[in-house]
Protein backbone atom coordinates (compact mmCIF):
# COMPACT_ATOMS: atom_id res chain seq x y z
CA UNK A 1 0.00 0.00 0.00
CA UNK A 2 1.27 3.41 -0.91
CA UNK A 3 2.81 5.08 2.10
CA UNK A 4 1.12 8.39 2.83
CA UNK A 5 3.05 9.91 5.64
CA UNK A 6 5.29 12.62 4.19
CA UNK A 7 4.48 15.84 6.03
CA UNK A 8 5.36 19.50 5.67
CA UNK A 9 7.57 22.29 8.08
CA UNK A 10 7.69 26.84 10.39
CA UNK A 11 10.92 28.81 10.48
CA UNK A 12 11.19 32.31 12.05
CA UNK A 13 11.87 34.99 9.50
CA UNK A 14 15.05 35.78 11.37
CA UNK A 15 16.38 32.35 10.37
CA UNK A 16 14.97 31.87 6.89
CA UNK A 17 12.27 33.24 4.62
CA UNK A 18 12.28 32.06 0.97
CA UNK A 19 9.07 33.61 -0.22
CA UNK A 20 8.23 17.29 3.61
CA UNK A 21 -14.93 3.87 -6.29
CA UNK A 22 -18.02 3.75 -4.27
CA UNK A 23 -18.13 5.52 -1.01
CA UNK A 24 -18.81 3.61 2.18
CA UNK A 25 -22.53 3.68 2.99
CA UNK A 26 -23.63 6.42 5.37
CA UNK A 27 -24.11 5.82 9.06
CA UNK A 28 -27.59 5.00 10.31
CA UNK A 29 -30.01 7.90 10.75
CA UNK A 30 -29.28 8.27 14.44
CA UNK A 31 -25.62 8.91 13.61
CA UNK A 32 -25.94 11.65 11.02
CA UNK A 33 -28.41 14.22 9.81
CA UNK A 34 -28.30 17.08 7.43
CA UNK A 35 -28.76 20.56 8.73
CA UNK A 36 -29.94 23.73 7.02
CA UNK A 37 -27.72 26.70 6.33
CA UNK A 38 -26.70 28.24 9.59
CA UNK A 39 -27.55 31.89 10.09
CA UNK A 40 -25.80 34.69 8.27
CA UNK A 41 -24.70 36.00 11.67
CA UNK A 42 -22.79 32.80 12.40
CA UNK A 43 -21.39 32.70 8.87
CA UNK A 44 -20.13 36.24 9.20
CA UNK A 45 -18.66 35.60 12.61
CA UNK A 46 -16.91 32.44 11.48
CA UNK A 47 -16.06 33.85 8.05
CA UNK A 48 -17.15 30.57 6.55
CA UNK A 49 -19.70 30.26 3.76
CA UNK A 50 -21.53 26.98 3.59
CA UNK A 51 -25.13 26.13 2.90
CA UNK A 52 -25.37 22.56 4.01
CA UNK A 53 -23.12 20.07 5.76
CA UNK A 54 -23.19 16.66 7.31
CA UNK A 55 -23.68 16.24 11.02
CA UNK A 56 -21.90 13.61 13.06
CA UNK A 57 -23.84 11.92 15.79
CA UNK A 58 -22.36 10.11 18.75
CA UNK A 59 -22.78 6.33 18.56
CA UNK A 60 -22.53 3.65 21.18
CA UNK A 61 -18.73 3.57 20.71
CA UNK A 62 -17.81 6.90 19.44
CA UNK A 63 -12.04 15.20 16.03
CA UNK A 64 7.11 33.77 7.91
CA UNK A 65 8.68 30.18 7.55
CA UNK A 66 9.95 29.82 11.04
CA UNK A 67 12.06 27.33 12.85
CA UNK A 68 10.94 27.62 16.42
CA UNK A 69 14.39 27.80 17.92
CA UNK A 70 13.61 29.70 21.10
CA UNK A 71 13.79 27.40 24.12
CA UNK A 72 12.68 30.29 26.32
CA UNK A 73 9.28 30.80 24.72
CA UNK A 74 6.46 32.47 26.61
CA UNK A 75 4.73 30.19 29.12
CA UNK A 76 1.94 28.15 27.62
CA UNK A 77 -0.44 29.68 30.14
CA UNK A 78 -0.54 32.77 27.92
CA UNK A 79 -2.64 30.72 25.50
CA UNK A 80 -4.55 28.73 28.08
CA UNK A 81 -7.97 29.92 29.16
CA UNK A 82 -10.13 28.61 31.97
CA UNK A 83 -11.55 25.22 31.11
CA UNK A 84 -15.32 25.47 30.66
CA UNK A 85 -17.79 22.63 31.15
CA UNK A 86 -17.72 20.30 28.17
CA UNK A 87 -20.64 20.97 25.81
CA UNK A 88 -22.59 18.24 24.03
CA UNK A 89 -21.95 19.76 20.59
CA UNK A 90 -18.93 21.34 18.93
CA UNK A 91 -17.73 23.04 15.77
CA UNK A 92 -15.88 20.74 13.37
CA UNK A 93 -14.93 20.16 9.76
CA UNK A 94 -16.64 17.12 8.27
CA UNK A 95 -16.87 15.19 5.03
CA UNK A 96 -19.63 12.68 4.34
CA UNK A 97 -18.26 11.39 1.04
CA UNK A 98 -14.84 10.86 -0.49
CA UNK A 99 -13.55 13.39 -2.99
CA UNK A 100 -11.75 16.69 -3.50
CA UNK A 101 -11.52 19.58 -1.06
CA UNK A 102 -15.09 20.56 -1.95
CA UNK A 103 -16.46 17.68 0.16
CA UNK A 104 -15.19 19.41 3.31
CA UNK A 105 -17.99 21.16 5.18
CA UNK A 106 -18.04 23.25 8.34
CA UNK A 107 -20.58 21.98 10.89
CA UNK A 108 -21.27 23.96 14.08
CA UNK A 109 -23.29 21.16 15.68
CA UNK A 110 -21.23 17.96 15.69
CA UNK A 111 -21.68 15.78 18.77
CA UNK A 112 -18.68 15.78 21.09
CA UNK A 113 -17.19 12.24 21.07
CA UNK A 114 -17.61 9.93 24.03
CA UNK A 115 -14.51 9.10 26.07
CA UNK A 116 -13.53 5.46 26.58
CA UNK A 117 -11.90 4.21 29.79
CA UNK A 118 -8.35 4.50 28.39
CA UNK A 119 -8.92 7.84 26.68
CA UNK A 120 -8.90 11.52 27.50
CA UNK A 121 -11.01 14.24 25.91
CA UNK A 122 -8.85 17.07 24.58
CA UNK A 123 -9.94 20.66 24.02
CA UNK A 124 -8.11 21.17 20.74
CA UNK A 125 -5.99 24.32 20.55
CA UNK A 126 -4.03 23.52 17.37
CA UNK A 127 -3.94 20.77 14.77
CA UNK A 128 -1.76 20.02 11.75
CA UNK A 129 -2.27 18.64 8.27
CA UNK A 130 -0.38 15.76 6.70
CA UNK A 131 -0.58 14.35 3.17
CA UNK A 132 -2.27 11.30 4.67
CA UNK A 133 -5.27 13.53 5.51
CA UNK A 134 -5.75 14.36 1.85
CA UNK A 135 -5.26 10.76 0.67
CA UNK A 136 -7.75 9.57 3.27
CA UNK A 137 -10.32 12.16 2.18
CA UNK A 138 -9.86 11.06 -1.42
CA UNK A 139 -10.72 7.46 -0.44
CA UNK A 140 -7.24 6.06 -1.07
CA UNK A 141 -7.63 3.55 1.76
CA UNK A 142 -11.39 3.32 2.18
CA UNK A 143 -11.20 -0.45 2.77
CA UNK A 144 -9.55 0.12 6.15
CA UNK A 145 -11.02 3.53 6.96
CA UNK A 146 -13.50 4.28 9.73
CA UNK A 147 -17.13 4.86 8.68
CA UNK A 148 -18.18 8.11 7.06
CA UNK A 149 -18.87 10.91 7.91
CA UNK A 150 -15.39 11.83 9.10
CA UNK A 151 -13.85 14.67 11.07
CA UNK A 152 -10.29 14.73 9.62
CA UNK A 153 -7.03 15.40 11.43
CA UNK A 154 -4.22 13.32 12.98
CA UNK A 155 -1.91 15.76 14.79
CA UNK A 156 -3.21 17.58 17.86
CA UNK A 157 -2.09 19.83 20.69
CA UNK A 158 -4.49 20.89 23.40
CA UNK A 159 -5.74 20.63 26.98
CA UNK A 160 -7.19 17.59 28.75
CA UNK A 161 -10.75 18.32 29.88
CA UNK A 162 -11.88 14.81 30.84
CA UNK A 163 -10.11 11.54 31.67
CA UNK A 164 -11.38 7.97 31.43
CA UNK A 165 -11.43 5.71 34.50
CA UNK A 166 -8.28 3.79 33.45
CA UNK A 167 -6.17 6.84 32.63
CA UNK A 168 -3.11 6.84 34.88
CA UNK A 169 -0.86 9.82 34.24
CA UNK A 170 -3.02 12.52 32.68
CA UNK A 171 -5.56 14.75 34.38
CA UNK A 172 -7.80 17.70 33.61
CA UNK A 173 -5.80 20.80 32.73
CA UNK A 174 -2.74 18.97 31.37
CA UNK A 175 -1.31 20.34 28.13
CA UNK A 176 -0.62 17.48 25.71
CA UNK A 177 0.23 16.68 22.11
CA UNK A 178 0.27 13.61 19.91
CA UNK A 179 -0.93 11.77 16.84
CA UNK A 180 -4.43 10.58 17.72
CA UNK A 181 -4.23 7.46 15.49
CA UNK A 182 -1.96 4.60 16.47
CA UNK A 183 -2.03 3.26 12.89
CA UNK A 184 -2.37 5.85 10.13
CA UNK A 185 -4.20 3.59 7.68
CA UNK A 186 -6.02 1.08 9.90
CA UNK A 187 -9.33 2.35 11.28
CA UNK A 188 -8.22 5.91 12.01
CA UNK A 189 -10.60 7.71 14.32
CA UNK A 190 -13.91 8.98 12.95
CA UNK A 191 -13.55 12.07 15.18
CA UNK A 192 -10.21 13.68 14.23
CA UNK A 193 -8.45 16.83 15.40
CA UNK A 194 -10.09 19.43 13.12
CA UNK A 195 -12.70 20.04 15.77
CA UNK A 196 -13.08 21.73 19.12
CA UNK A 197 -12.70 18.40 20.93
CA UNK A 198 -11.22 14.99 20.20
CA UNK A 199 -10.91 11.79 22.24
CA UNK A 200 -7.62 9.87 22.21
CA UNK A 201 -5.91 7.04 24.09
CA UNK A 202 -3.56 8.13 26.85
CA UNK A 203 -0.73 5.99 25.42
CA UNK A 204 -0.62 8.10 22.22
CA UNK A 205 -0.04 11.38 24.05
CA UNK A 206 2.84 13.16 25.73
CA UNK A 207 3.14 16.35 27.80
CA UNK A 208 3.52 19.36 25.52
CA UNK A 209 7.14 20.59 25.56
CA UNK A 210 7.25 23.54 27.93
CA UNK A 211 9.05 25.88 25.52
CA UNK A 212 6.74 25.26 22.55
CA UNK A 213 3.40 26.90 21.92
CA UNK A 214 0.43 24.79 20.85
CA UNK A 215 0.91 25.43 17.12
CA UNK A 216 4.56 24.36 17.30
CA UNK A 217 3.69 21.25 19.29
CA UNK A 218 0.87 20.28 16.91
CA UNK A 219 3.31 20.35 13.99
CA UNK A 220 5.47 17.54 15.38
CA UNK A 221 3.80 14.20 16.21
CA UNK A 222 3.17 12.27 12.99
CA UNK A 223 6.23 13.68 11.21
CA UNK A 224 8.69 13.17 14.06
CA UNK A 225 7.38 9.68 14.85
CA UNK A 226 7.76 8.75 11.18
CA UNK A 227 11.28 10.17 11.07
CA UNK A 228 12.32 8.42 14.28
CA UNK A 229 10.84 5.02 13.40
CA UNK A 230 12.34 5.15 9.90
CA UNK A 231 15.80 5.82 11.30
CA UNK A 232 15.45 3.02 13.83
CA UNK A 233 14.23 0.51 11.23
CA UNK A 234 17.09 1.40 8.91
CA UNK A 235 19.61 0.50 11.60
CA UNK A 236 20.95 4.04 11.68
CA UNK A 237 23.42 4.73 14.47
CA UNK A 238 26.26 7.00 15.56
CA UNK A 239 29.02 7.45 13.00
CA UNK A 240 26.88 6.59 9.97
CA UNK A 241 26.06 8.87 7.04
CA UNK A 242 22.62 9.64 5.62
CA UNK A 243 21.08 11.27 2.55
CA UNK A 244 17.61 12.76 3.04
CA UNK A 245 15.49 13.24 -0.08
CA UNK A 246 12.94 16.00 0.48
CA UNK A 247 14.88 17.61 3.29
CA UNK A 248 12.62 20.69 3.46
CA UNK A 249 9.44 18.68 4.08
CA UNK A 250 7.80 17.91 7.38
CA UNK A 251 9.46 14.52 7.76
CA UNK A 252 12.68 15.55 6.04
CA UNK A 253 13.41 18.52 8.30
CA UNK A 254 13.06 16.24 11.31
CA UNK A 255 15.11 13.38 9.85
CA UNK A 256 17.99 15.83 9.38
CA UNK A 257 17.76 16.98 12.98
CA UNK A 258 17.21 13.57 14.56
CA UNK A 259 20.04 11.98 12.56
CA UNK A 260 22.45 14.66 13.75
CA UNK A 261 21.26 15.47 17.26
CA UNK A 262 19.77 12.17 18.49
CA UNK A 263 21.45 9.39 16.49
CA UNK A 264 24.91 10.98 16.12
CA UNK A 265 25.30 10.97 12.33
CA UNK A 266 28.80 11.47 10.97
CA UNK A 267 27.42 13.25 7.91
CA UNK A 268 23.97 14.44 6.82
CA UNK A 269 23.22 15.32 3.21
CA UNK A 270 19.80 16.48 2.02
CA UNK A 271 18.06 17.61 -1.15
CA UNK A 272 15.76 20.57 -1.78
CA UNK A 273 15.03 23.25 -4.36
CA UNK A 274 17.36 26.25 -4.62
CA UNK A 275 15.45 28.52 -2.28
CA UNK A 276 15.48 26.07 0.62
CA UNK A 277 19.15 25.12 0.73
CA UNK A 278 19.89 27.52 3.59
CA UNK A 279 17.06 25.95 5.58
CA UNK A 280 18.71 22.54 5.24
CA UNK A 281 22.03 23.92 6.45
CA UNK A 282 20.43 25.69 9.40
CA UNK A 283 18.91 22.37 10.50
CA UNK A 284 22.26 20.62 10.49
CA UNK A 285 22.79 19.33 6.95
CA UNK A 286 26.50 19.13 6.12
CA UNK A 287 25.75 18.92 2.40
CA UNK A 288 22.73 20.67 0.84
CA UNK A 289 22.01 19.41 -2.69
CA UNK A 290 19.98 21.48 -5.15
CA UNK A 291 17.97 18.83 -6.97
CA UNK A 292 17.13 21.31 -9.75
CA UNK A 293 20.82 21.49 -10.69
CA UNK A 294 22.38 18.25 -9.48
CA UNK A 295 21.52 14.54 -9.65
CA UNK A 296 22.13 13.11 -6.19
CA UNK A 297 22.39 9.59 -7.61
CA UNK A 298 25.43 10.64 -9.65
CA UNK A 299 27.44 11.82 -6.66
CA UNK A 300 30.63 9.78 -6.16
CA UNK A 301 29.92 9.67 -2.42
CA UNK A 302 27.51 6.98 -1.21
CA UNK A 303 25.63 6.85 2.10
CA UNK A 304 24.87 4.28 4.80
CA UNK A 305 21.18 5.22 4.71
CA UNK A 306 19.03 7.03 2.17
CA UNK A 307 15.74 8.34 3.60
CA UNK A 308 13.39 8.91 0.66
CA UNK A 309 10.44 11.10 1.56
CA UNK A 310 9.57 12.09 -2.01
CA UNK A 311 9.17 8.85 -3.98
CA UNK A 312 12.43 8.38 -5.89
CA UNK A 313 13.08 4.80 -4.90
CA UNK A 314 14.71 3.79 -8.19
CA UNK A 315 17.30 6.56 -7.86
CA UNK A 316 17.69 6.20 -4.09
CA UNK A 317 19.27 2.75 -4.36
CA UNK A 318 22.04 4.23 -6.53
CA UNK A 319 23.11 6.51 -3.67
CA UNK A 320 23.38 3.90 -0.91
CA UNK A 321 26.51 1.99 0.11
CA UNK A 322 26.76 -1.75 -0.27
CA UNK A 323 24.86 -3.24 2.67
CA UNK A 324 23.08 0.04 3.40
CA UNK A 325 19.38 0.76 3.82
CA UNK A 326 16.85 2.83 1.88
CA UNK A 327 13.75 4.05 3.72
CA UNK A 328 10.88 4.75 1.30
CA UNK A 329 7.78 6.66 2.39
CA UNK A 330 6.00 6.92 -0.95
CA UNK A 331 6.24 5.61 -4.49
CA UNK A 332 7.77 2.41 -5.82
CA UNK A 333 10.17 0.38 -3.68
CA UNK A 334 13.36 -1.01 -5.21
CA UNK A 335 15.53 -3.40 -3.12
CA UNK A 336 17.23 -2.80 -0.75
CA UNK A 337 14.54 -0.20 -0.14
CA UNK A 338 11.74 -0.88 2.34
CA UNK A 339 8.52 0.83 3.31
CA UNK A 340 6.76 1.00 6.65
CA UNK A 341 3.65 2.57 8.14
CA UNK A 342 4.43 4.35 11.37
CA UNK A 343 3.02 3.09 14.67
CA UNK A 344 2.40 6.11 16.85
CA UNK A 345 3.31 6.01 20.51
CA UNK A 346 3.45 8.76 23.08
CA UNK A 347 6.61 7.22 24.54
CA UNK A 348 8.57 8.35 21.46
CA UNK A 349 7.41 11.92 21.99
CA UNK A 350 8.31 11.72 25.69
CA UNK A 351 11.78 10.42 24.75
CA UNK A 352 12.27 13.33 22.34
CA UNK A 353 10.81 16.08 24.58
CA UNK A 354 14.24 16.94 26.09
CA UNK A 355 15.59 17.59 22.57
CA UNK A 356 12.65 19.89 21.81
CA UNK A 357 12.95 21.68 25.14
CA UNK A 358 16.69 22.22 24.72
CA UNK A 359 16.18 23.59 21.20
CA UNK A 360 18.36 20.87 19.64
CA UNK A 361 15.38 19.70 17.55
CA UNK A 362 13.04 22.40 16.30
CA UNK A 363 9.57 22.36 14.77
CA UNK A 364 9.34 23.89 11.31
CA UNK A 365 6.04 25.42 10.14
CA UNK A 366 5.22 26.64 6.66
CA UNK A 367 5.36 30.45 6.25
CA UNK A 368 1.78 30.61 4.97
CA UNK A 369 0.53 29.35 8.31
CA UNK A 370 -0.79 28.88 10.78
CA UNK A 371 -4.11 28.81 8.94
CA UNK A 372 -7.16 29.87 10.99
CA UNK A 373 -9.90 27.31 11.62
CA UNK A 374 -12.08 29.02 9.02
CA UNK A 375 -9.51 28.20 6.30
CA UNK A 376 -9.21 24.42 6.59
CA UNK A 377 -10.25 24.05 2.93
CA UNK A 378 -7.49 26.45 1.87
CA UNK A 379 -4.99 24.56 4.04
CA UNK A 380 -5.94 21.25 2.38
CA UNK A 381 -5.62 22.83 -1.07
CA UNK A 382 -2.20 24.20 -0.20
CA UNK A 383 -0.70 20.99 1.18
CA UNK A 384 -1.96 19.11 -1.85
CA UNK A 385 0.17 21.30 -4.14
CA UNK A 386 3.20 19.49 -2.71
CA UNK A 387 4.99 22.83 -2.30
CA UNK A 388 4.60 23.41 1.40
CA UNK A 389 7.76 23.78 3.49
CA UNK A 390 7.54 21.97 6.78
CA UNK A 391 4.18 21.53 8.44
CA UNK A 392 0.82 23.14 7.65
CA UNK A 393 -0.81 24.05 10.95
CA UNK A 394 -4.38 25.03 11.90
CA UNK A 395 -4.48 27.51 14.78
CA UNK A 396 -6.36 28.81 16.66
CA UNK A 397 -9.26 26.42 16.94
CA UNK A 398 -12.32 27.99 18.63
Amino acid sequence: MEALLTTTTQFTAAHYHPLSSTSRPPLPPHHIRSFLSFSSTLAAAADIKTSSTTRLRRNSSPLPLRVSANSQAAPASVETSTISPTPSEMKAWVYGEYGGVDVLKFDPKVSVPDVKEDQVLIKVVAAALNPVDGKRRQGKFKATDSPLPTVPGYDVAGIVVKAGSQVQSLKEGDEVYGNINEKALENPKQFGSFAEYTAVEEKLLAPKPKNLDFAQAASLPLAVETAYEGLERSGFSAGKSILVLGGAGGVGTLVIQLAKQVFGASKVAATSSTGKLELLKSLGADLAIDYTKENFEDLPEKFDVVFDAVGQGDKSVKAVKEGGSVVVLTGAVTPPGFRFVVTSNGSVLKKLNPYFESGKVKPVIDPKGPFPFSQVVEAFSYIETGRATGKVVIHPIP
Side-chain angles (χ1 to χ4, degrees):
M1 180 180 289
E2 181 185 10
L4 308 170
L5 305 177
T6 310
T7 38
T8 48
T9 1
Q10 187 170 45
F11 212 83
T12 52
H15 290 81
Y16 171 77
H17 197 308
L19 296 162
S20 48
S21 76
T22 304
S23 297
R24 191 180 290 272
L27 295 177
H30 66 287
H31 286 257
I32 174 173
R33 67 179 181 81
S34 299
F35 67 97
L36 298 176
S37 305
F38 46 94
S39 71
S40 58
T41 303
L42 174 61
D47 193 27
I48 300 167
K49 295 182 180 180
T50 181
S51 60
S52 177
T53 74
T54 306
R55 181 179 180 182
L56 284 176
R57 284 287 202 168
R58 202 187 278 127
N59 58 27
S60 58
S61 298
L63 197 21
L65 183 68
R66 78 172 192 260
V67 167
S68 308
N70 183 7
S71 61
Q72 302 295 325
S77 58
V78 172
E79 283 193 68
T80 305
S81 57
T82 303
I83 300 175
S84 304
T86 307
S88 60
E89 294 181 331
M90 63 181 179
K91 301 179 182 72
W93 285 89
V94 179
Y95 57 89
E97 60 181 321
Y98 295 118
V101 294
D102 57 307
V103 302
L104 290 160
K105 307 296 180 185
F106 176 79
D107 189 338
K109 292 184 177 296
V110 172
S111 295
V112 173
D114 289 331
V115 178
K116 298 178 182 177
E117 292 179 340
D118 62 341
Q119 293 181 329
V120 297
L121 185 69
I122 298 174
K123 174 65 182 74
V124 181
V125 178
L129 262 174
N130 297 281
V132 67
D133 289 292
K135 303 279 180 80
R136 181 186 181 191
R137 191 205 66 237
Q138 293 163 12
K140 299 289 188 180
F141 53 99
K142 64 175 67 177
T144 57
D145 201 0
S146 56
L148 293 170
T150 297
V151 174
Y154 284 67
D155 287 326
V156 69
I159 305 165
V160 175
V161 294
K162 185 184 296 184
S165 60
Q166 294 180 5
V167 171
Q168 300 293 317
S169 61
L170 296 177
K171 63 184 184 305
E172 291 182 19
D174 285 349
E175 297 175 352
V176 296
Y177 75 127
N179 170 14
I180 71 169
N181 294 302
E182 184 173 14
K183 293 286 190 180
L185 312 183
E186 298 175 18
N187 296 307
K189 289 182 174 63
Q190 187 177 14
F191 291 84
S193 57
F194 292 175
E196 290 185 277
Y197 297 90
T198 193
V200 59
E201 291 79 8
E202 177 185 27
K203 68 180 181 179
L204 301 182
L205 299 169
K208 181 178 74 64
K210 295 179 177 62
N211 61 305
L212 301 184
D213 62 29
F214 285 100
Q216 294 164 346
S219 75
L220 289 168
L222 181 53
V224 81
E225 289 170 336
T226 300
Y228 186 86
E229 185 172 341
L231 288 167
E232 279 205 322
R233 285 174 175 259
S234 73
F236 197 73
S237 58
K240 291 187 176 181
S241 61
I242 187 170
L243 169 63
V244 185
L245 305 185
V251 173
T253 54
L254 290 163
V255 173
I256 292 170
Q257 296 181 80
L258 294 184
K260 202 67 174 282
Q261 299 295 338
V262 180
F263 287 80
S266 60
K267 184 169 186 177
V268 177
T271 66
S272 76
S273 58
T274 309
K276 299 175 182 178
L277 295 175
E278 291 304 314
L279 168 61
L280 304 187
K281 294 175 184 176
S282 74
L283 295 174
D286 302 293
L287 175 62
I289 302 167
D290 186 343
Y291 69 76
T292 70
K293 300 177 180 178
E294 203 170 0
N295 296 321
F296 67 85
E297 68 271 24
D298 295 334
L299 293 173
E301 181 178 9
K302 305 305 176 185
F303 301 86
D304 294 301
V305 171
V306 177
F307 201 118
D308 177 13
V310 295
Q312 294 186 319
D314 56 336
K315 296 179 180 180
S316 298
V317 297
K318 298 177 181 179
V320 70
K321 291 179 180 178
E322 184 75 24
S325 297
V326 178
V327 184
V328 179
L329 296 187
T330 186
V333 178
T334 302
F338 69 92
R339 177 183 291 139
F340 73 99
V341 177
V342 65
T343 300
S344 290
N345 192 322
S347 65
V348 172
L349 300 178
K350 291 174 185 175
K351 182 186 300 185
L352 295 175
N353 268 359
Y355 294 93
F356 301 139
E357 292 182 342
S358 68
K360 290 182 177 179
V361 179
K362 309 170 183 66
V364 184
I365 300 176
D366 188 89
K368 291 184 180 294
F371 287 77
F373 195 55
S374 61
Q375 293 182 7
V376 164
V377 172
E378 289 86 345
F380 263 95
S381 296
Y382 179 54
I383 196 173
E384 289 172 29
T385 66
R387 297 172 183 168
T389 302
K391 287 296 293 262
V392 174
V393 174
I394 308 298
H395 172 77
I397 292 179

